[in-house]
């Protein structure tokens, strides 16, 4: 099977019939320039929503990282970076917010409890009545609406359900129809393929729907575990991380401060905080090898073997981010080719902070395999997760800043005049759908009215912040995942770890890194914010309603 290439596999998928084909070469005619006659009706923008998976706040170059991300950096240099954008802290809840505009608790998705409420509308069901074509490529992970076309309303979709294999996934679909498993020994790589399908959909759009707007939801699965990357990509970072995670954290923090992204001190590592479901130290040594490390301890405490192995793991993580950026560049080139780059709103986020998880799934791990290859199954672990989330505390699944802080890059040449500016306006993923809807509506009557029983979308449009920082105010921003709880009101944040964890109170204006707990000094503020959190929690659960009874 080694002679089967990624290209030949894609051709085989195309052979399923016209309804399942990828695109053909598209015309290259250009749209009118961004400074067209203002008396003409304003064109609805295309939207390219790009999502990374478990990428840390400071991984990208434009957010202080040393990983080469020239395409993201160029978008940031010619657009906006938001310094205080929040996810929900975990994969499927964040994707719920991105796709529905609701907090996941409002639609029974954290924890997942059956299908979405009948009143829920997803992005395409808002945009298609306004003339949009909608495309999806990559991760889905929305259990309450498992089919992107049938449930989500997308016109075309390539979905990857296999989150354990980058080289030979076994479970993926094109337009809700199963594709054959990818055999071992090919040049197939998931990150490339996700970009391939997006490019094909855009080519078809230009050929068959030229002049009409599109929404493209481009959801990469990297750098989520397993750490698997192309060996030529790993080679670019092979020895880069021998300096250790303490050095990388310090350098990233310094760059972020110099950029004006943060103004807090770098917190110490927290070796005592790891996911409950991680493999134990002895299991890691047995199943992975003596180079594995189960805690975020100072780099100097590691053995030389551990240092080498840990540096290799971070090199793979960096290679995955690097490759994603290259594939983003290919998609952006396609948007340019079809002549709509200036009229395309591009949004880039990560679904949560970097992960401290250390588990085994899929085909498990072969200690004899080359690290990063198809037969290896490695996780980033808490040491490098702490570095990836610099300068913040904790990791994916927690709702301290390290788990929920996401980059947000906004690029739109036709309407965003600012270039390379930072917005410190706090925002949340629930704000992105209202933003898109305001721009898509373009002053015309809205699309289909809300379904009966649907609560108002909780987010705020960020359009005012495109031109002026601090112009979008939130009554609150709410968080809850795995008993980790938080609420932010203005610069005050109340947060707790676990079901029995005490409330901690921070003034994020001066302490975004959550090091000066003011709960003991301001008990009234704690009571005020904890009461508000409880009110939100109860209201959102009531809005979602009970899960439907399971069919016998």
């Amino acid at each position: 099977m080694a002679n089967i290439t990624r290209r030949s596999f894609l051709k085989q998928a195309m052979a399923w019939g016209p309804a399942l084909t990828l695109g053909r070469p598209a015309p290259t005619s250009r749209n009118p320039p961004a400074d067209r006659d203002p008396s003409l009706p304003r064109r609805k923008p295309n939207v390219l929503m790009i999502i990374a998976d478990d990428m840390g706040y400071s991984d990208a170059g434009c957010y202080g990282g040393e990983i080469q991300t020239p395409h993201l950096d160029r978008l940031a240099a010619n657009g906006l970076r938001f310094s205080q954008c929040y996810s929900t802290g975990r994969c499927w809840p964040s994707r719920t917010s991105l796709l529905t505009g609701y907090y996941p608790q409002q639609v029974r998705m954290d924890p997942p409890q059956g299908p979405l409420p009948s009143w829920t509308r997803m992005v395409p069901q808002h945009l298609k009545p306004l003339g949009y074509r909608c495309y999806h490529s990559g991760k889905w992970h929305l259990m309450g609406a498992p089919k992107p076309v049938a449930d989500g309303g997308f016109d075309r979709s390539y979905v990857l359900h296999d989150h354990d294999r980058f080289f030979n996934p076994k479970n993926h679909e094109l337009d809700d129809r199963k594709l054959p498993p990818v055999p071992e020994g090919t040049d197939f790589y998931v990150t490339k393929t996700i970009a391939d399908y997006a490019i094909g959909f855009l080519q078809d759009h230009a050929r068959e729907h030229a002049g009409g707007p599109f929404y493209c939801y481009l959801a990469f699965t990297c750098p989520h575990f397993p750490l698997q990357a192309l060996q030529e990509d790993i080679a670019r970072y092979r020895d880069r991380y021998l300096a250790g995670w303490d050095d990388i954290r310090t350098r990233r923090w310094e760059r972020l401060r110099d950029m004006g992204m943060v103004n807090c001190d770098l917190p110490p590592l927290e070796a005592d905080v790891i996911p409950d479901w991680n493999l134990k130290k002895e299991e890691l040594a047995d199943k992975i090898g003596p180079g594995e490390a189960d805690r975020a301890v100072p780099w100097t405490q590691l053995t030389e073997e551990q240092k080498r192995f840990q540096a290799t793991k971070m090199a793979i993580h960096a290679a995955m981010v690097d490759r994603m950026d290259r594939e983003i560049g290919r998609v952006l080139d396609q948007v340019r080719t079809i002549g709509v780059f200036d009229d395309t709103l591009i949004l880039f986020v990560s679904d949560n902070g970097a992960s401290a998880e250390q588990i085994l799934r899929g085909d498990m791990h072969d200690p004899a395999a080359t690290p990063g290859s198809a037969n290896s199954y490695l996780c980033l672990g808490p040491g490098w997760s702490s570095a990836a989330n610099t300068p913040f505390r904790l990791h994916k699944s927690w709702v301290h800043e390290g788990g929920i802080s996401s980059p947000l890059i906004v690029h739109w040449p036709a309407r965003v005049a600012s270039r390379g500016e930072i917005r410190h306006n706090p925002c949340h993923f629930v704000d992105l759908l209202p933003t898109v809807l305001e721009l898509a509506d373009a002053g015309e009557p809205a699309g289909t009215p809300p379904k009966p029983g649907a609560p108002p979308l909780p987010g705020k449009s960020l359009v005012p912040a495109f031109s002026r920082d601090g112009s979008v105010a939130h009554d609150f921003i709410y968080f809850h995942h795995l008993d980790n709880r938080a609420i932010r009101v203005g610069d005050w944040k109340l947060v707790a770890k676990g079901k029995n964890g005490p409330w901690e109170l921070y003034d994020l204006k001066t302490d975004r890194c959550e090091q000066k707990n003011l709960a003991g000094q301001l008990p009234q503020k704690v009571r005020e914010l904890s009461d508000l959190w409880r009110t939100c929690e109860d209201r959102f659960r009531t809005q979602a309603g009970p899960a439907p009874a399971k069919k016998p």
Side-chain angles (χ1 to χ4, degrees):
M1 304 297 286
N3 61 338
I4 297 179
T5 66
R6 178 173 58 94
R7 185 178 299 275
S8 64
F9 179 85
L10 293 174
K11 287 182 177 179
Q12 188 175 7
M14 289 165 61
W16 284 54
L20 296 180
T21 58
L22 286 175
R24 289 172 287 281
T28 59
S29 59
R30 297 284 172 180
N31 283 333
D35 58 355
R36 58 182 169 267
D37 185 346
S39 67
L40 295 175
R42 189 179 297 279
R43 177 181 288 115
K44 297 179 189 296
N46 306 300
V47 181
L48 175 58
M49 180 82 229
I50 308 173
I51 306 100
D53 197 352
D54 287 11
M55 178 176 165
Y57 180 82
S58 62
D59 274 337
C62 52
Y63 276 81
E66 68 294 321
I67 302 172
Q68 297 300 303
T69 54
H71 299 287
L72 290 176
D73 297 350
R74 196 171 300 119
L75 292 176
N78 292 286
L80 302 171
R81 283 169 294 165
F82 281 71
S83 67
Q84 300 188 70
C85 177
Y86 290 119
S87 70
T88 69
R90 193 75 177 273
C91 176
W92 75 87
S94 286
R95 292 163 202 275
T96 298
S97 292
L98 292 172
L99 287 164
T100 71
Y102 288 104
Y103 287 109
Q105 290 76 15
Q106 293 179 278
V107 290
R108 293 196 295 264
M109 280 297 104
D110 195 5
Q113 295 177 305
L116 299 175
S118 60
W119 45 257
T120 311
R121 282 195 292 165
M122 301 180 68
V123 174
Q125 292 150 353
H126 286 281
L127 293 182
K128 288 171 73 172
L130 299 172
Y132 279 76
R133 295 276 298 178
C134 297
Y135 309 106
H136 157 259
S137 185
K139 194 166 183 175
W140 186 246
H141 211 182
L142 185 58
M143 291 79 92
K147 296 291 186 181
V149 175
D151 299 324
F154 281 88
D155 294 291
R156 301 297 311 276
S157 167
Y158 170 71
V159 60
L160 184 80
H161 293 304
D162 186 340
H163 305 152
D164 292 314
R165 300 169 183 87
F166 276 84
F167 292 101
N168 56 319
K170 301 180 183 301
N171 187 3
H172 55 160
E173 298 175 356
L174 184 59
D175 296 339
D176 293 354
R177 292 178 59 181
K178 283 191 175 297
L179 292 170
V182 178
E184 297 180 11
T186 76
D187 68 347
F188 186 101
Y189 188 64
V190 159
T191 307
K192 289 185 173 183
T193 301
I194 289 171
D196 285 339
Y197 275 102
I199 290 168
F201 295 155
L202 294 177
Q203 289 174 339
D204 278 354
H205 181 87
R207 182 175 55 83
E208 298 172 4
H209 306 281
F214 66 77
Y215 174 91
C216 182
Y217 182 86
L218 179 60
F220 290 100
T221 58
C222 59
H224 191 289
F225 61 82
L227 297 177
Q228 294 182 349
L230 301 172
Q231 291 300 312
E232 61 264 33
D233 292 343
I234 299 172
R236 284 191 284 273
Y237 298 91
R238 176 107 28 218
D239 296 328
R240 176 66 184 82
Y241 295 101
L242 287 170
W245 47 60
D246 296 313
D247 179 78
I248 295 297
R249 287 183 80 222
T250 299
R251 292 178 184 273
R252 289 189 177 193
W253 167 68
E254 289 172 345
R255 285 192 290 268
L256 284 164
R257 287 187 63 127
D258 290 344
M259 290 174 178
M261 298 287 283
V262 300
N263 65 352
C264 54
D265 294 331
L266 184 65
L269 294 170
E270 297 185 58
D272 59 332
V273 182
I274 59 173
D276 293 340
W277 54 91
N278 273 12
L279 293 172
K280 304 302 181 188
K281 182 177 181 179
E282 297 75 20
E283 294 176 299
L284 290 169
D286 178 57
K287 297 178 185 298
I288 304 297
E292 192 54 283
D294 71 322
R295 301 279 173 165
V297 298
W299 187 255
T300 55
Q301 293 184 16
L302 301 182
T303 66
E304 290 304 310
E305 185 173 12
Q306 285 178 315
K307 291 177 181 178
R308 175 71 264 185
F309 186 73
Q310 295 301 312
T312 297
K313 287 204 308 177
M314 186 60 188
I316 303 168
H317 174 89
M320 296 171 79
V321 174
D322 182 308
R323 173 53 54 183
M324 177 181 66
D325 184 81
R326 291 167 187 261
E327 299 308 312
I328 289 171
R330 288 205 302 126
V331 176
L332 296 180
D333 284 345
Q334 183 59 49
V335 176
R336 292 185 184 96
T337 296
I338 62 177
V340 296
F341 188 74
D342 284 355
D343 285 308
T344 299
L345 170 66
I346 301 169
L347 303 167
F348 173 83
V349 297
S350 177
D351 65 345
N352 43 249
S355 173
E357 293 165 287
Q358 292 180 293
I359 62 176
L360 287 173
R361 297 190 317 205
D363 299 320
M364 309 301 281
H365 177 70
D366 178 0
T370 300
S373 67
N375 292 325
S376 71
Y377 198 107
L378 301 174
C379 298
L380 190 61
W384 285 121
S385 175
S386 298
N389 295 330
T390 299
F392 304 128
R393 291 179 54 201
L394 304 188
H395 323 272
K396 168 185 176 180
S397 298
W398 282 272
V399 295
H400 284 69
E401 294 291 288
I404 56 178
S405 294
S406 169
L408 170 58
I409 301 172
V410 177
H411 182 277
W412 187 17
R415 293 283 301 278
V416 177
S418 302
R419 298 290 183 268
E421 294 185 7
I422 296 171
R423 296 291 184 261
H424 297 294
N425 206 132
C427 60
H428 188 280
F429 283 4
V430 295
D431 298 323
L432 297 182
L433 179 55
T435 302
V436 169
L437 292 180
E438 177 177 340
L439 298 172
D441 193 25
E444 301 171 13
T448 55
K451 293 182 180 180
L457 292 175
K460 307 277 190 177
S461 170
L462 299 178
V463 171
F466 291 178
S467 56
R468 184 169 62 88
D469 196 13
S471 56
V472 179
H474 293 77
D475 294 333
F476 60 84
I477 301 177
Y478 155 94
F479 306 91
H480 188 189
H481 183 65
L482 294 180
D483 291 321
N484 299 313
R485 298 150 283 143
I487 193 159
R488 176 170 179 169
V489 177
D491 290 320
W492 290 108
K493 181 182 176 186
L494 193 70
V495 60
K497 295 195 296 280
K499 186 174 183 179
N500 299 315
W503 286 114
E504 305 163 19
L505 179 67
Y506 300 100
D507 179 359
L508 299 189
K509 184 175 183 179
T510 58
D511 187 24
R512 179 95 189 276
C513 295
E514 299 172 313
Q515 297 187 74
K516 303 180 182 74
N517 182 6
L518 302 175
Q521 300 175 38
L522 299 170
Q524 181 58 38
K525 178 61 70 173
V526 172
R527 284 192 293 273
E528 172 192 331
L529 293 178
S530 62
D531 287 348
L532 178 58
W533 183 89
R534 173 50 60 187
T535 297
C536 293
E537 173 78 3
D538 293 344
R539 180 194 308 148
F540 292 163
R541 301 291 182 188
T542 299
Q543 288 172 347
K550 293 183 178 180
K551 296 181 180 180

